Amino acid sequence: MLILSLHKNLHLGFALLSPVAGSAGIAIADVAIGACVTQHAISHTYLAGDMQSLCGMSSSIGALLGFSLSGFFVHLVGAKGVFGLLAIPASLVVLVGILLRESQVRNFAYRRVKEKIVDASKVMWTTLKCRDVWRPCLYIYLSLALGLHIHEGMFYWYTDAKEGPSFSQEVVGSIFSVGAVGSLFGVLLYQNFLKNHPFRDILFWAQLLHGVSGLLDLVLVLRINLKLGMPDYFFVVVDEAVSRMIGRIKWMPFLVLSSKLFPSGIEGTFFALIMSIDQIGLLSSAWSGGLVLHMLNVTRTQFDNLWIAIVIRSPLRLIPIGFLFLMPRSDPNLSILPSEMLRTKRGNDVLEPENIEMATLVNSI
């Protein structure tokens, strides 16, 4: 981020490589904390929903702060200055890693690293072949891939002075910050009212509302809201808050379920695998959405067919409802994997749950 901010004539390749490297670093940190949460979700099954709600709440609060300040900082220091400011949260992640208390692993058998990698690969393959694992993974991918990401077209429409509402950078940032509030509200709803309901029931209604809420964009693009006397800003804020709230409610069961699919000993590795499936689903959604916008000739300045893309997106969001049979019917507070996959290896080179920083939080609850 500092290179992007300070270098004046940066080569395009390096300009693309810098955010990729930054994202990779954040992904590694995400996998590390995901492994900690997963390990305690296995040993404290009844707290899995609470821990994921805590993570979701932290993410929403961070998004709220970021979106609230983004438009202001872009206007104040410009786009390159904002890249420089993004080095601060990255440095804070490094600081967290330094301050995290862990017990040192003694007498680690370095010569057995290859053997451990082979054993972990076998465990991963065995776990993936389990019916209760690959079916939810397939549903998560389908739910994300069929979302048809067309946010780029909507963003350019927001800022268009001719056909759109001509929002400024600060206004767009405030809209997304309200969306973060909706996401936070979705976490609170799940934590207080929905976490004990079966996965299928929550996902059915969340997926249904997800598809219906997409039609709010159609009302906005066709300018129906103005005919009803509703200002653009008010309608967009409501649309963003509702959409983010439903999206968070839909995402929370995925996180809770995912934390129950990891065998002991390879939590971080398997979490990375599950998250890669999620990212492939999001990439599929982005690529298919970009293809639809290209076929409909929707560009930065041409929005005549944007409403068609919205109409196509809404029914696609409902298709995952037909695949809900892939999700387990079990109690969300119970373990899903067979008991033999949840046994923790004992030995000098394996950390016990009590040796990890989050143990204090879990035990105090």
Side-chain angles (χ1 to χ4, degrees):
M1 297 299 102
L2 285 176
I3 292 175
L4 289 174
S5 176
L6 300 177
H7 203 290
K8 295 183 178 180
N9 298 313
L10 189 63
H11 188 273
L12 178 61
F14 289 104
L16 293 176
L17 183 61
S18 296
V20 170
S23 298
I26 297 299
I28 294 173
D30 191 24
V31 168
I33 192 61
C36 294
V37 173
T38 299
Q39 187 172 18
H40 289 291
I42 293 175
S43 58
H44 303 79
T45 308
Y46 61 96
L47 289 177
D50 296 326
M51 287 187 284
Q52 293 297 348
S53 296
L54 178 61
C55 293
M57 186 181 304
S58 301
S59 175
S60 298
I61 293 175
L64 174 60
L65 293 175
F67 286 131
S68 299
L69 299 175
S70 60
F72 170 75
F73 281 128
V74 169
H75 178 75
L76 184 65
V77 298
K80 296 188 68 174
V82 170
F83 281 124
L85 292 175
L86 287 176
I88 297 176
S91 303
L92 294 177
V93 174
V94 176
L95 182 62
V96 170
I98 295 175
L99 298 178
L100 184 65
R101 295 195 304 271
E102 294 180 296
S103 297
Q104 184 177 359
V105 179
R106 301 182 183 277
N107 301 323
F108 184 81
Y110 290 98
R111 296 180 180 180
R112 296 177 56 196
V113 170
K114 181 179 180 180
E115 178 184 347
K116 291 177 180 295
I117 293 176
V118 173
D119 291 341
S121 300
K122 291 180 179 178
V123 174
M124 288 181 61
W125 178 244
T126 301
T127 306
L128 283 174
K129 291 191 296 183
C130 180
R131 175 186 176 92
D132 293 330
V133 175
W134 69 262
R135 285 162 62 97
C137 291
L138 178 59
Y139 179 84
I140 292 174
Y141 169 77
L142 292 174
S143 177
L144 295 172
L146 293 173
L148 202 63
H149 186 90
I150 59 172
H151 290 179
E152 286 78 11
M154 291 299 303
F155 174 81
Y156 288 121
W157 184 83
Y158 285 159
T159 57
D160 186 74
K162 181 179 179 181
E163 299 186 35
S166 187
F167 291 148
S168 63
Q169 297 170 340
E170 294 83 358
V171 171
V172 172
S174 67
I175 291 173
F176 288 154
S177 65
V178 174
V181 174
S183 178
L184 179 61
F185 188 61
V187 173
L188 296 176
L189 281 178
Y190 180 84
Q191 169 67 17
N192 292 285
F193 302 104
L194 302 175
K195 67 177 182 179
N196 294 322
H197 289 267
F199 293 121
R200 289 191 185 182
D201 295 349
I202 298 176
L203 290 174
F204 172 80
W205 291 106
Q207 201 72 49
L208 181 63
L209 293 174
H210 187 53
V212 174
S213 65
L215 295 176
L216 293 175
D217 289 335
L218 183 64
V219 174
L220 184 66
V221 170
L222 295 180
R223 318 304 280 152
I224 297 176
N225 62 297
L226 296 180
K227 298 178 181 178
L228 298 176
M230 300 179 66
D232 285 330
Y233 181 77
F234 174 77
F235 192 85
V236 171
V237 165
V238 173
D239 181 11
E240 185 70 16
V242 171
S243 299
R244 291 297 185 92
M245 180 188 69
I246 296 173
R248 177 60 71 173
I249 293 175
K250 185 173 78 78
W251 183 243
M252 288 303 299
F254 291 162
L255 294 177
V256 176
L257 178 62
S258 296
S259 66
K260 297 175 179 290
L261 300 179
F262 306 149
S264 295
I266 58 169
E267 291 90 346
T269 306
F270 209 82
F271 179 81
L273 177 62
I274 297 296
M275 290 299 102
S276 66
I277 295 175
D278 296 346
Q279 292 302 315
I280 292 174
L282 293 173
L283 283 175
S284 300
S285 173
W287 289 338
S288 58
L291 179 61
V292 169
L293 292 176
H294 177 73
M295 294 175 62
L296 295 175
N297 195 31
V298 177
T299 64
R300 294 187 178 186
T301 57
Q302 186 69 25
F303 307 100
D304 293 339
N305 296 326
L306 181 59
W307 68 274
I308 300 178
I310 298 173
V311 171
I312 295 174
R313 181 188 64 181
S314 294
L316 285 177
R317 286 181 172 182
L318 300 178
I319 292 179
I321 294 178
F323 294 94
L324 278 173
F325 66 90
L326 296 173
M327 300 296 287
R329 280 188 174 276
S330 60
D331 188 331
N333 296 315
L334 298 178
S335 298
I336 294 177
L337 289 179
S339 57
E340 59 269 16
M341 291 186 180
L342 299 177
R343 295 173 185 167
T344 304
K345 294 181 180 180
R346 303 289 179 181
N348 294 330
D349 57 347
V350 178
L351 288 176
E352 298 300 323
E354 287 75 11
N355 292 338
I356 296 181
E357 178 76 12
M358 291 183 64
T360 303
L361 172 63
V362 174
N363 292 335
S364 64
I365 295 178

